[in-house]
Each structure stands twice: as C-alpha cells, then as structure tokens.
Amino acid sequence: MKKALISSLLCLSFALPVVAATAFTDGKDAVSYRQANFQMIRHNMGDIQDMIRGNVAFDVERVQRRAEALALLSQLPWETFTVPGTQAAGGEVKPAIWDNLVDVQERGEKLAADAAALLVAAKAGEQAAIRKAFGDYARNCKACHDKYKAD
C-alpha cells in the first residue's frame, strides 16, 4: 500500500510540469483563450484611440494603465496557435495562418515590442510620442488582421 502511494505521488509529480506547461485543455480552450485575449487588446486599444482622437478627454494616467495592459496582453495569444487541436477548433482565422505560423509568431513578437514602446511613451507622458507609438502598434495589429483574420 505504501509503495503504491509513493509510486502514485511520484508519477503525479512528474506529470505536473506537463500539465503546468500549458493553460489549455484542448484546441477549443486555446481558441477561447486567444479570442478573449484579443478582445481585451481591442478594448484597451479603443480607449487609447478615443483619447488620441479627442472623443474623450486625454488622461495620461489612463493611457499608462491601458499601455501596461497592452504590454502584457500582447505577449499572450501567440502560443495558442500551436496547441494541438487548435486548427480544427475553429476561430476567426484564415486557413493560410496554419501554413505561416512562423510569420504569425514573428508578428506577435513585433506587436509585443510595439506595446513595450507604447508603454515607454505613455510613461513619458508626451501626447505626440504616445500618438506615434500607438500608431505603430495599431498598424502592426491591422496588418496581421488583414493577412490572417477571417471576416
């Protein structure tokens, strides 16, 4: 009995890193995570864009909070494209994405770098620098959508 318990605990301890290595249980879970992440990106971008366009009062502290969120969120969705079963799970992607995952990963890295640059500009608090950094981020985001997001 004691040996069985020890064996079970050892097996479990070796299996934990495998389970912890991914937050996804299957392809549908990965797609759901990715879509939720992109929605959060969209909401944070929209708030900054409204301030830049003058639709709402410009608030540098709010821009900083949104930029901090974008700096984190822009790093997260890319691993979901490689989760087993993701391709069959659906989502709003063009079929070409599955043949170009290296390009998608590179675009993801660029988006994360653009988000980091936006955060630096936001912390400096200069509206012109924020506008430029946000424009770079938004153009990169749109370019990936144009190439890989299904209508």
PDB file of all heavy atoms in Angstrom, residues 34-60:
ATOM      1  N   ARG A  34      -7.521  32.681 -26.722  1.00  0.00           N
ATOM      2  CA  ARG A  34      -6.980  33.628 -27.699  1.00  0.00           C
ATOM      3  C   ARG A  34      -8.000  34.708 -28.023  1.00  0.00           C
ATOM      4  O   ARG A  34      -7.679  35.899 -28.047  1.00  0.00           O
ATOM      5  CB  ARG A  34      -6.557  32.880 -28.969  1.00  0.00           C
ATOM      6  CG  ARG A  34      -5.964  33.778 -30.024  1.00  0.00           C
ATOM      7  CD  ARG A  34      -5.423  33.013 -31.216  1.00  0.00           C
ATOM      8  NE  ARG A  34      -6.467  32.382 -31.974  1.00  0.00           N
ATOM      9  CZ  ARG A  34      -6.509  31.086 -32.262  1.00  0.00           C
ATOM     10  NH1 ARG A  34      -5.567  30.268 -31.845  1.00  0.00           N
ATOM     11  NH2 ARG A  34      -7.488  30.586 -32.986  1.00  0.00           N
ATOM     12  N   GLN A  35      -9.244  34.317 -28.260  1.00  0.00           N
ATOM     13  CA  GLN A  35     -10.271  35.293 -28.601  1.00  0.00           C
ATOM     14  C   GLN A  35     -10.531  36.259 -27.447  1.00  0.00           C
ATOM     15  O   GLN A  35     -10.697  37.462 -27.669  1.00  0.00           O
ATOM     16  CB  GLN A  35     -11.555  34.572 -29.016  1.00  0.00           C
ATOM     17  CG  GLN A  35     -11.421  33.893 -30.363  1.00  0.00           C
ATOM     18  CD  GLN A  35     -12.629  33.057 -30.733  1.00  0.00           C
ATOM     19  OE1 GLN A  35     -13.371  32.584 -29.876  1.00  0.00           O
ATOM     20  NE2 GLN A  35     -12.830  32.866 -32.029  1.00  0.00           N
ATOM     21  N   ALA A  36     -10.550  35.742 -26.238  1.00  0.00           N
ATOM     22  CA  ALA A  36     -10.740  36.617 -25.072  1.00  0.00           C
ATOM     23  C   ALA A  36      -9.576  37.590 -24.939  1.00  0.00           C
ATOM     24  O   ALA A  36      -9.776  38.774 -24.647  1.00  0.00           O
ATOM     25  CB  ALA A  36     -10.889  35.775 -23.802  1.00  0.00           C
ATOM     26  N   ASN A  37      -8.367  37.104 -25.192  1.00  0.00           N
ATOM     27  CA  ASN A  37      -7.189  37.958 -25.119  1.00  0.00           C
ATOM     28  C   ASN A  37      -7.259  39.075 -26.157  1.00  0.00           C
ATOM     29  O   ASN A  37      -7.011  40.244 -25.839  1.00  0.00           O
ATOM     30  CB  ASN A  37      -5.935  37.105 -25.310  1.00  0.00           C
ATOM     31  CG  ASN A  37      -4.675  37.876 -25.088  1.00  0.00           C
ATOM     32  OD1 ASN A  37      -4.054  38.321 -26.048  1.00  0.00           O
ATOM     33  ND2 ASN A  37      -4.282  38.032 -23.849  1.00  0.00           N
ATOM     34  N   PHE A  38      -7.627  38.722 -27.379  1.00  0.00           N
ATOM     35  CA  PHE A  38      -7.729  39.741 -28.421  1.00  0.00           C
ATOM     36  C   PHE A  38      -8.853  40.741 -28.118  1.00  0.00           C
ATOM     37  O   PHE A  38      -8.739  41.920 -28.465  1.00  0.00           O
ATOM     38  CB  PHE A  38      -7.913  39.113 -29.800  1.00  0.00           C
ATOM     39  CG  PHE A  38      -6.633  38.544 -30.372  1.00  0.00           C
ATOM     40  CD1 PHE A  38      -6.623  37.285 -30.949  1.00  0.00           C
ATOM     41  CD2 PHE A  38      -5.449  39.253 -30.346  1.00  0.00           C
ATOM     42  CE1 PHE A  38      -5.454  36.754 -31.485  1.00  0.00           C
ATOM     43  CE2 PHE A  38      -4.279  38.733 -30.878  1.00  0.00           C
ATOM     44  CZ  PHE A  38      -4.285  37.480 -31.450  1.00  0.00           C
ATOM     45  N   GLN A  39      -9.910  40.305 -27.474  1.00  0.00           N
ATOM     46  CA  GLN A  39     -10.967  41.236 -27.075  1.00  0.00           C
ATOM     47  C   GLN A  39     -10.437  42.236 -26.047  1.00  0.00           C
ATOM     48  O   GLN A  39     -10.755  43.419 -26.109  1.00  0.00           O
ATOM     49  CB  GLN A  39     -12.175  40.482 -26.503  1.00  0.00           C
ATOM     50  CG  GLN A  39     -13.022  39.818 -27.560  1.00  0.00           C
ATOM     51  CD  GLN A  39     -13.616  40.816 -28.531  1.00  0.00           C
ATOM     52  OE1 GLN A  39     -14.144  41.852 -28.152  1.00  0.00           O
ATOM     53  NE2 GLN A  39     -13.522  40.516 -29.811  1.00  0.00           N
ATOM     54  N   MET A  40      -9.643  41.769 -25.119  1.00  0.00           N
ATOM     55  CA  MET A  40      -9.048  42.670 -24.126  1.00  0.00           C
ATOM     56  C   MET A  40      -8.096  43.665 -24.803  1.00  0.00           C
ATOM     57  O   MET A  40      -8.071  44.843 -24.445  1.00  0.00           O
ATOM     58  CB  MET A  40      -8.313  41.874 -23.046  1.00  0.00           C
ATOM     59  CG  MET A  40      -9.236  41.051 -22.169  1.00  0.00           C
ATOM     60  SD  MET A  40     -10.346  42.058 -21.192  1.00  0.00           S
ATOM     61  CE  MET A  40      -9.181  42.882 -20.137  1.00  0.00           C
ATOM     62  N   ILE A  41      -7.336  43.187 -25.771  1.00  0.00           N
ATOM     63  CA  ILE A  41      -6.468  44.091 -26.537  1.00  0.00           C
ATOM     64  C   ILE A  41      -7.325  45.149 -27.224  1.00  0.00           C
ATOM     65  O   ILE A  41      -7.033  46.344 -27.161  1.00  0.00           O
ATOM     66  CB  ILE A  41      -5.608  43.307 -27.549  1.00  0.00           C
ATOM     67  CG1 ILE A  41      -4.524  42.499 -26.815  1.00  0.00           C
ATOM     68  CG2 ILE A  41      -4.989  44.248 -28.590  1.00  0.00           C
ATOM     69  CD1 ILE A  41      -3.736  41.539 -27.694  1.00  0.00           C
ATOM     70  N   ARG A  42      -8.402  44.712 -27.872  1.00  0.00           N
ATOM     71  CA  ARG A  42      -9.284  45.633 -28.592  1.00  0.00           C
ATOM     72  C   ARG A  42      -9.850  46.700 -27.648  1.00  0.00           C
ATOM     73  O   ARG A  42      -9.862  47.891 -27.979  1.00  0.00           O
ATOM     74  CB  ARG A  42     -10.423  44.862 -29.262  1.00  0.00           C
ATOM     75  CG  ARG A  42     -11.342  45.741 -30.091  1.00  0.00           C
ATOM     76  CD  ARG A  42     -12.415  44.918 -30.791  1.00  0.00           C
ATOM     77  NE  ARG A  42     -13.366  44.340 -29.863  1.00  0.00           N
ATOM     78  CZ  ARG A  42     -14.439  44.971 -29.388  1.00  0.00           C
ATOM     79  NH1 ARG A  42     -14.681  46.223 -29.736  1.00  0.00           N
ATOM     80  NH2 ARG A  42     -15.270  44.371 -28.564  1.00  0.00           N
ATOM     81  N   HIS A  43     -10.294  46.311 -26.481  1.00  0.00           N
ATOM     82  CA  HIS A  43     -10.871  47.275 -25.542  1.00  0.00           C
ATOM     83  C   HIS A  43      -9.829  48.298 -25.069  1.00  0.00           C
ATOM     84  O   HIS A  43     -10.134  49.492 -24.988  1.00  0.00           O
ATOM     85  CB  HIS A  43     -11.493  46.569 -24.337  1.00  0.00           C
ATOM     86  CG  HIS A  43     -12.776  45.876 -24.666  1.00  0.00           C
ATOM     87  ND1 HIS A  43     -13.935  46.554 -24.971  1.00  0.00           N
ATOM     88  CD2 HIS A  43     -13.084  44.562 -24.757  1.00  0.00           C
ATOM     89  CE1 HIS A  43     -14.894  45.696 -25.236  1.00  0.00           C
ATOM     90  NE2 HIS A  43     -14.414  44.474 -25.104  1.00  0.00           N
ATOM     91  N   ASN A  44      -8.632  47.840 -24.768  1.00  0.00           N
ATOM     92  CA  ASN A  44      -7.592  48.767 -24.317  1.00  0.00           C
ATOM     93  C   ASN A  44      -7.143  49.686 -25.446  1.00  0.00           C
ATOM     94  O   ASN A  44      -6.922  50.879 -25.226  1.00  0.00           O
ATOM     95  CB  ASN A  44      -6.417  47.990 -23.726  1.00  0.00           C
ATOM     96  CG  ASN A  44      -6.727  47.499 -22.331  1.00  0.00           C
ATOM     97  OD1 ASN A  44      -6.642  48.247 -21.376  1.00  0.00           O
ATOM     98  ND2 ASN A  44      -7.120  46.238 -22.210  1.00  0.00           N
ATOM     99  N   MET A  45      -7.030  49.145 -26.656  1.00  0.00           N
ATOM    100  CA  MET A  45      -6.687  49.986 -27.802  1.00  0.00           C
ATOM    101  C   MET A  45      -7.758  51.027 -28.055  1.00  0.00           C
ATOM    102  O   MET A  45      -7.455  52.195 -28.328  1.00  0.00           O
ATOM    103  CB  MET A  45      -6.525  49.124 -29.061  1.00  0.00           C
ATOM    104  CG  MET A  45      -5.258  48.325 -29.136  1.00  0.00           C
ATOM    105  SD  MET A  45      -5.172  47.401 -30.695  1.00  0.00           S
ATOM    106  CE  MET A  45      -4.930  48.741 -31.875  1.00  0.00           C
ATOM    107  N   GLY A  46      -9.016  50.602 -27.983  1.00  0.00           N
ATOM    108  CA  GLY A  46     -10.125  51.514 -28.244  1.00  0.00           C
ATOM    109  C   GLY A  46     -10.140  52.693 -27.300  1.00  0.00           C
ATOM    110  O   GLY A  46     -10.435  53.824 -27.705  1.00  0.00           O
ATOM    111  N   ASP A  47      -9.810  52.447 -26.048  1.00  0.00           N
ATOM    112  CA  ASP A  47      -9.799  53.537 -25.075  1.00  0.00           C
ATOM    113  C   ASP A  47      -8.689  54.535 -25.403  1.00  0.00           C
ATOM    114  O   ASP A  47      -8.916  55.752 -25.388  1.00  0.00           O
ATOM    115  CB  ASP A  47      -9.627  52.968 -23.663  1.00  0.00           C
ATOM    116  CG  ASP A  47      -9.940  53.992 -22.588  1.00  0.00           C
ATOM    117  OD1 ASP A  47     -10.769  54.893 -22.822  1.00  0.00           O
ATOM    118  OD2 ASP A  47      -9.351  53.885 -21.499  1.00  0.00           O
ATOM    119  N   ILE A  48      -7.515  54.040 -25.723  1.00  0.00           N
ATOM    120  CA  ILE A  48      -6.419  54.948 -26.093  1.00  0.00           C
ATOM    121  C   ILE A  48      -6.775  55.703 -27.371  1.00  0.00           C
ATOM    122  O   ILE A  48      -6.573  56.919 -27.463  1.00  0.00           O
ATOM    123  CB  ILE A  48      -5.085  54.181 -26.263  1.00  0.00           C
ATOM    124  CG1 ILE A  48      -4.622  53.599 -24.918  1.00  0.00           C
ATOM    125  CG2 ILE A  48      -4.008  55.102 -26.850  1.00  0.00           C
ATOM    126  CD1 ILE A  48      -3.406  52.688 -25.022  1.00  0.00           C
ATOM    127  N   GLN A  49      -7.319  54.989 -28.331  1.00  0.00           N
ATOM    128  CA  GLN A  49      -7.686  55.618 -29.598  1.00  0.00           C
ATOM    129  C   GLN A  49      -8.716  56.733 -29.380  1.00  0.00           C
ATOM    130  O   GLN A  49      -8.607  57.810 -29.980  1.00  0.00           O
ATOM    131  CB  GLN A  49      -8.235  54.572 -30.554  1.00  0.00           C
ATOM    132  CG  GLN A  49      -8.542  55.104 -31.933  1.00  0.00           C
ATOM    133  CD  GLN A  49      -8.990  54.002 -32.864  1.00  0.00           C
ATOM    134  OE1 GLN A  49      -9.779  53.129 -32.489  1.00  0.00           O
ATOM    135  NE2 GLN A  49      -8.480  54.022 -34.073  1.00  0.00           N
ATOM    136  N   ASP A  50      -9.693  56.498 -28.521  1.00  0.00           N
ATOM    137  CA  ASP A  50     -10.687  57.537 -28.231  1.00  0.00           C
ATOM    138  C   ASP A  50     -10.030  58.783 -27.636  1.00  0.00           C
ATOM    139  O   ASP A  50     -10.427  59.910 -27.951  1.00  0.00           O
ATOM    140  CB  ASP A  50     -11.758  57.007 -27.279  1.00  0.00           C
ATOM    141  CG  ASP A  50     -12.780  56.125 -27.977  1.00  0.00           C
ATOM    142  OD1 ASP A  50     -12.838  56.136 -29.225  1.00  0.00           O
ATOM    143  OD2 ASP A  50     -13.523  55.426 -27.261  1.00  0.00           O
ATOM    144  N   MET A  51      -9.032  58.587 -26.797  1.00  0.00           N
ATOM    145  CA  MET A  51      -8.337  59.740 -26.215  1.00  0.00           C
ATOM    146  C   MET A  51      -7.510  60.467 -27.271  1.00  0.00           C
ATOM    147  O   MET A  51      -7.491  61.695 -27.321  1.00  0.00           O
ATOM    148  CB  MET A  51      -7.468  59.293 -25.033  1.00  0.00           C
ATOM    149  CG  MET A  51      -8.281  58.972 -23.794  1.00  0.00           C
ATOM    150  SD  MET A  51      -7.256  58.592 -22.364  1.00  0.00           S
ATOM    151  CE  MET A  51      -7.142  56.814 -22.497  1.00  0.00           C
ATOM    152  N   ILE A  52      -6.818  59.725 -28.112  1.00  0.00           N
ATOM    153  CA  ILE A  52      -5.995  60.332 -29.160  1.00  0.00           C
ATOM    154  C   ILE A  52      -6.861  61.117 -30.135  1.00  0.00           C
ATOM    155  O   ILE A  52      -6.497  62.210 -30.571  1.00  0.00           O
ATOM    156  CB  ILE A  52      -5.154  59.255 -29.889  1.00  0.00           C
ATOM    157  CG1 ILE A  52      -4.027  58.771 -28.965  1.00  0.00           C
ATOM    158  CG2 ILE A  52      -4.601  59.785 -31.204  1.00  0.00           C
ATOM    159  CD1 ILE A  52      -3.250  57.596 -29.498  1.00  0.00           C
ATOM    160  N   ARG A  53      -8.015  60.581 -30.471  1.00  0.00           N
ATOM    161  CA  ARG A  53      -8.917  61.254 -31.416  1.00  0.00           C
ATOM    162  C   ARG A  53      -9.706  62.393 -30.793  1.00  0.00           C
ATOM    163  O   ARG A  53     -10.412  63.119 -31.478  1.00  0.00           O
ATOM    164  CB  ARG A  53      -9.887  60.236 -32.012  1.00  0.00           C
ATOM    165  CG  ARG A  53      -9.234  59.282 -32.967  1.00  0.00           C
ATOM    166  CD  ARG A  53     -10.236  58.344 -33.568  1.00  0.00           C
ATOM    167  NE  ARG A  53      -9.610  57.510 -34.593  1.00  0.00           N
ATOM    168  CZ  ARG A  53     -10.196  56.489 -35.155  1.00  0.00           C
ATOM    169  NH1 ARG A  53     -11.443  56.162 -34.822  1.00  0.00           N
ATOM    170  NH2 ARG A  53      -9.560  55.782 -36.068  1.00  0.00           N
ATOM    171  N   GLY A  54      -9.627  62.532 -29.483  1.00  0.00           N
ATOM    172  CA  GLY A  54     -10.343  63.603 -28.815  1.00  0.00           C
ATOM    173  C   GLY A  54     -11.794  63.269 -28.524  1.00  0.00           C
ATOM    174  O   GLY A  54     -12.573  64.155 -28.169  1.00  0.00           O
ATOM    175  N   ASN A  55     -12.185  62.014 -28.672  1.00  0.00           N
ATOM    176  CA  ASN A  55     -13.561  61.609 -28.370  1.00  0.00           C
ATOM    177  C   ASN A  55     -13.841  61.641 -26.870  1.00  0.00           C
ATOM    178  O   ASN A  55     -14.992  61.783 -26.455  1.00  0.00           O
ATOM    179  CB  ASN A  55     -13.853  60.211 -28.907  1.00  0.00           C
ATOM    180  CG  ASN A  55     -13.750  60.153 -30.418  1.00  0.00           C
ATOM    181  OD1 ASN A  55     -13.877  61.158 -31.106  1.00  0.00           O
ATOM    182  ND2 ASN A  55     -13.499  58.965 -30.944  1.00  0.00           N
ATOM    183  N   VAL A  56     -12.792  61.468 -26.085  1.00  0.00           N
ATOM    184  CA  VAL A  56     -12.868  61.597 -24.629  1.00  0.00           C
ATOM    185  C   VAL A  56     -11.639  62.385 -24.191  1.00  0.00           C
ATOM    186  O   VAL A  56     -10.647  62.485 -24.928  1.00  0.00           O
ATOM    187  CB  VAL A  56     -12.914  60.218 -23.904  1.00  0.00           C
ATOM    188  CG1 VAL A  56     -14.172  59.453 -24.268  1.00  0.00           C
ATOM    189  CG2 VAL A  56     -11.681  59.401 -24.192  1.00  0.00           C
ATOM    190  N   ALA A  57     -11.697  62.941 -23.011  1.00  0.00           N
ATOM    191  CA  ALA A  57     -10.573  63.735 -22.511  1.00  0.00           C
ATOM    192  C   ALA A  57      -9.309  62.876 -22.404  1.00  0.00           C
ATOM    193  O   ALA A  57      -9.370  61.721 -21.966  1.00  0.00           O
ATOM    194  CB  ALA A  57     -10.920  64.323 -21.152  1.00  0.00           C
ATOM    195  N   PHE A  58      -8.196  63.454 -22.814  1.00  0.00           N
ATOM    196  CA  PHE A  58      -6.917  62.755 -22.716  1.00  0.00           C
ATOM    197  C   PHE A  58      -6.501  62.699 -21.252  1.00  0.00           C
ATOM    198  O   PHE A  58      -6.459  63.720 -20.568  1.00  0.00           O
ATOM    199  CB  PHE A  58      -5.837  63.470 -23.544  1.00  0.00           C
ATOM    200  CG  PHE A  58      -4.567  62.694 -23.644  1.00  0.00           C
ATOM    201  CD1 PHE A  58      -4.409  61.739 -24.621  1.00  0.00           C
ATOM    202  CD2 PHE A  58      -3.528  62.904 -22.742  1.00  0.00           C
ATOM    203  CE1 PHE A  58      -3.237  60.999 -24.713  1.00  0.00           C
ATOM    204  CE2 PHE A  58      -2.359  62.182 -22.815  1.00  0.00           C
ATOM    205  CZ  PHE A  58      -2.210  61.223 -23.809  1.00  0.00           C
ATOM    206  N   ASP A  59      -6.214  61.499 -20.785  1.00  0.00           N
ATOM    207  CA  ASP A  59      -5.834  61.264 -19.396  1.00  0.00           C
ATOM    208  C   ASP A  59      -4.568  60.411 -19.414  1.00  0.00           C
ATOM    209  O   ASP A  59      -4.629  59.208 -19.692  1.00  0.00           O
ATOM    210  CB  ASP A  59      -6.973  60.559 -18.660  1.00  0.00           C
ATOM    211  CG  ASP A  59      -6.674  60.243 -17.209  1.00  0.00           C
ATOM    212  OD1 ASP A  59      -5.494  60.274 -16.800  1.00  0.00           O
ATOM    213  OD2 ASP A  59      -7.628  59.928 -16.478  1.00  0.00           O
ATOM    214  N   VAL A  60      -3.427  61.012 -19.161  1.00  0.00           N
ATOM    215  CA  VAL A  60      -2.153  60.306 -19.284  1.00  0.00           C
ATOM    216  C   VAL A  60      -2.082  59.102 -18.344  1.00  0.00           C
ATOM    217  O   VAL A  60      -1.515  58.069 -18.713  1.00  0.00           O
ATOM    218  CB  VAL A  60      -0.948  61.265 -19.107  1.00  0.00           C
ATOM    219  CG1 VAL A  60      -0.776  61.688 -17.664  1.00  0.00           C
ATOM    220  CG2 VAL A  60       0.321  60.630 -19.642  1.00  0.00           C
TER     221      VAL A  60
END
